[in-house]
Amino acid sequence: EAGVVQSPRYKIIEKKQPVAFWCNPISGHNTLYWYLQNLGQGPELLIRYENEEAVDDSQLPKDRFSAERLKGVDSTLKIQPAELGDSAVYLCASSLGQGSYNEQFFGPGTRLTVL
Amino acid sequence: KQEVTQIPAALSVPEGENLVLNCSFTDSAIYNLQWFRQDPGKGLTSLLLIQSSQREQTSGRLNASLDKSSGRSTLYIAASQPGDSATYLCAVRRRGASGSRLTFGEGTQLTVNP
């Protein structure tokens, strides 16, 4: 069974440019998460989806970040415009549901470098 | 606010040694605790999940314990191997304003030398 798929794996852009990341969760997983991981830190939640609904986006910087999961399957995270401080790894994860017994499975991440 | 601390930040051991990684959390009202492994440039791989009602979980050479009342968890790795070299992250699942949320520690970077 395929795991969580993310693309691209690496992205280098200049500041003020837009960038988008794509995630396809494990088949049948209703819950999808986007995390930000800075170097030497643990991941921090940006947004959580239950099917197509964003149910926890309190930590998403909404002035420049946006996300969508239109059909409740794959998702896109966008940054516009990117800033130097956005350089980090963006991880996507999925789980069967958001209940406490459900493990989260992570994708390989997209490493963003903003120059 | 939940805080998760991992000690040590880095650890280097010779192959074959048994070792313990530590994780502490400030709020004991958690649903569960999860240990992950992260290899350079890779995502996170779940190793063990301990529910709040459990005391420990075992998988192969790995054993994780949970003492919720004292806010501590340990990950024990027996007979370490060079392939165990990675960053180990613990995360606690707690109630948030919009449902449960994982809070991660900063990780312990483990190097096992042949």
Short mmCIF file of all heavy atoms in Angstrom, two decimals, chain A residues 93-115:
data_model
loop_
_atom_site.label_atom_id
_atom_site.label_comp_id
_atom_site.label_asym_id
_atom_site.label_seq_id
_atom_site.Cartn_x
_atom_site.Cartn_y
_atom_site.Cartn_z
N ALA A 93 0.68 14.70 6.62
CA ALA A 93 0.38 13.44 7.31
C ALA A 93 -1.10 13.12 7.14
O ALA A 93 -1.91 14.00 6.84
CB ALA A 93 0.73 13.54 8.79
N SER A 94 -1.44 11.86 7.33
CA SER A 94 -2.84 11.49 7.27
C SER A 94 -3.15 10.42 8.31
O SER A 94 -2.24 9.74 8.81
CB SER A 94 -3.23 10.98 5.87
OG SER A 94 -2.64 9.72 5.59
N SER A 95 -4.43 10.32 8.67
CA SER A 95 -4.88 9.28 9.59
C SER A 95 -6.30 8.90 9.22
O SER A 95 -7.00 9.64 8.53
CB SER A 95 -4.79 9.76 11.04
OG SER A 95 -5.66 10.86 11.26
N LEU A 96 -6.75 7.75 9.74
CA LEU A 96 -8.10 7.28 9.42
C LEU A 96 -9.14 8.26 9.90
O LEU A 96 -10.16 8.47 9.26
CB LEU A 96 -8.33 5.91 10.06
CG LEU A 96 -7.78 4.71 9.31
CD1 LEU A 96 -7.93 3.45 10.14
CD2 LEU A 96 -8.53 4.55 7.98
N GLY A 97 -8.91 8.83 11.07
CA GLY A 97 -9.80 9.83 11.62
C GLY A 97 -9.01 10.67 12.58
O GLY A 97 -7.79 10.50 12.71
N GLN A 98 -9.66 11.59 13.26
CA GLN A 98 -8.90 12.43 14.17
C GLN A 98 -9.04 11.95 15.62
O GLN A 98 -8.57 12.58 16.52
CB GLN A 98 -9.32 13.90 14.03
CG GLN A 98 -10.67 14.23 14.59
CD GLN A 98 -10.59 14.67 16.04
OE1 GLN A 98 -9.62 15.24 16.48
NE2 GLN A 98 -11.62 14.35 16.79
N GLY A 99 -9.66 10.78 15.79
CA GLY A 99 -9.76 10.22 17.12
C GLY A 99 -8.40 9.92 17.71
O GLY A 99 -7.43 9.70 17.00
N SER A 100 -8.33 9.91 19.02
CA SER A 100 -7.05 9.79 19.69
C SER A 100 -6.37 8.45 19.45
O SER A 100 -5.17 8.33 19.66
CB SER A 100 -7.23 10.00 21.19
OG SER A 100 -8.11 9.02 21.73
N TYR A 101 -7.10 7.44 18.99
CA TYR A 101 -6.48 6.14 18.76
C TYR A 101 -5.87 6.03 17.37
O TYR A 101 -5.25 5.02 17.05
CB TYR A 101 -7.51 5.02 18.96
CG TYR A 101 -7.77 4.72 20.41
CD1 TYR A 101 -8.56 5.54 21.18
CD2 TYR A 101 -7.20 3.60 21.01
CE1 TYR A 101 -8.79 5.26 22.51
CE2 TYR A 101 -7.41 3.31 22.34
CZ TYR A 101 -8.22 4.14 23.08
OH TYR A 101 -8.44 3.86 24.41
N ASN A 102 -6.06 7.03 16.55
CA ASN A 102 -5.61 6.94 15.17
C ASN A 102 -4.19 7.47 15.00
O ASN A 102 -3.92 8.64 15.27
CB ASN A 102 -6.54 7.72 14.26
CG ASN A 102 -7.89 7.06 14.13
OD1 ASN A 102 -7.97 5.88 13.83
ND2 ASN A 102 -8.94 7.81 14.38
N GLU A 103 -3.29 6.60 14.55
CA GLU A 103 -1.92 7.03 14.28
C GLU A 103 -1.86 7.92 13.06
O GLU A 103 -2.64 7.76 12.12
CB GLU A 103 -1.04 5.80 14.03
CG GLU A 103 -0.68 5.02 15.25
CD GLU A 103 0.36 3.96 14.97
OE1 GLU A 103 1.43 4.30 14.43
OE2 GLU A 103 0.09 2.79 15.28
N GLN A 104 -0.92 8.83 13.10
CA GLN A 104 -0.66 9.67 11.93
C GLN A 104 0.52 9.09 11.15
O GLN A 104 1.52 8.70 11.74
CB GLN A 104 -0.33 11.10 12.36
CG GLN A 104 -1.50 11.82 13.00
CD GLN A 104 -1.19 13.26 13.34
OE1 GLN A 104 -0.32 13.88 12.71
NE2 GLN A 104 -1.89 13.81 14.32
N PHE A 105 0.38 9.07 9.84
CA PHE A 105 1.43 8.58 8.96
C PHE A 105 1.92 9.76 8.13
O PHE A 105 1.11 10.48 7.54
CB PHE A 105 0.90 7.46 8.07
CG PHE A 105 0.46 6.25 8.84
CD1 PHE A 105 -0.82 6.15 9.36
CD2 PHE A 105 1.35 5.21 9.05
CE1 PHE A 105 -1.21 5.04 10.10
CE2 PHE A 105 0.96 4.08 9.77
CZ PHE A 105 -0.32 4.00 10.30
N PHE A 106 3.24 9.91 8.09
CA PHE A 106 3.83 11.09 7.48
C PHE A 106 4.40 10.81 6.10
O PHE A 106 4.92 9.72 5.85
CB PHE A 106 4.94 11.65 8.38
CG PHE A 106 4.43 12.39 9.57
CD1 PHE A 106 3.92 11.72 10.67
CD2 PHE A 106 4.44 13.78 9.59
CE1 PHE A 106 3.44 12.40 11.77
CE2 PHE A 106 3.97 14.48 10.69
CZ PHE A 106 3.47 13.79 11.78
N GLY A 107 4.34 11.82 5.25
CA GLY A 107 5.02 11.77 3.97
C GLY A 107 6.47 12.21 4.14
O GLY A 107 6.90 12.59 5.22
N PRO A 108 7.26 12.18 3.04
CA PRO A 108 8.69 12.50 3.11
C PRO A 108 8.96 13.99 3.26
O PRO A 108 10.07 14.37 3.62
CB PRO A 108 9.22 11.98 1.78
CG PRO A 108 8.05 12.07 0.86
CD PRO A 108 6.85 11.75 1.70
N GLY A 109 7.97 14.83 2.99
CA GLY A 109 8.16 16.26 3.15
C GLY A 109 8.63 16.95 1.90
O GLY A 109 9.16 16.33 0.97
N THR A 110 8.42 18.26 1.87
CA THR A 110 8.97 19.13 0.83
C THR A 110 9.91 20.11 1.51
O THR A 110 9.50 20.84 2.41
CB THR A 110 7.87 19.92 0.09
OG1 THR A 110 7.02 19.01 -0.60
CG2 THR A 110 8.49 20.90 -0.90
N ARG A 111 11.16 20.11 1.07
CA ARG A 111 12.14 21.04 1.65
C ARG A 111 12.14 22.30 0.82
O ARG A 111 12.50 22.28 -0.36
CB ARG A 111 13.53 20.42 1.68
CG ARG A 111 14.58 21.35 2.31
CD ARG A 111 15.93 20.67 2.42
NE ARG A 111 15.88 19.53 3.31
CZ ARG A 111 16.01 19.59 4.62
NH1 ARG A 111 16.20 20.75 5.21
NH2 ARG A 111 15.97 18.48 5.36
N LEU A 112 11.72 23.41 1.44
CA LEU A 112 11.65 24.70 0.76
C LEU A 112 12.83 25.57 1.15
O LEU A 112 13.11 25.73 2.35
CB LEU A 112 10.35 25.43 1.10
CG LEU A 112 10.22 26.86 0.57
CD1 LEU A 112 10.13 26.86 -0.95
CD2 LEU A 112 9.01 27.55 1.19
N THR A 113 13.50 26.12 0.17
CA THR A 113 14.55 27.11 0.39
C THR A 113 14.15 28.39 -0.29
O THR A 113 13.89 28.40 -1.51
CB THR A 113 15.90 26.63 -0.16
OG1 THR A 113 16.26 25.38 0.46
CG2 THR A 113 16.99 27.65 0.10
N VAL A 114 14.08 29.47 0.49
CA VAL A 114 13.73 30.78 -0.05
C VAL A 114 14.99 31.64 -0.05
O VAL A 114 15.61 31.84 1.01
CB VAL A 114 12.61 31.44 0.77
CG1 VAL A 114 12.24 32.78 0.14
CG2 VAL A 114 11.39 30.54 0.84
N LEU A 115 15.40 32.10 -1.21
CA LEU A 115 16.64 32.88 -1.35
C LEU A 115 16.37 34.38 -1.40
O LEU A 115 15.29 34.81 -1.83
CB LEU A 115 17.37 32.46 -2.63
CG LEU A 115 17.72 30.96 -2.72
CD1 LEU A 115 18.34 30.66 -4.06
CD2 LEU A 115 18.65 30.56 -1.59
#
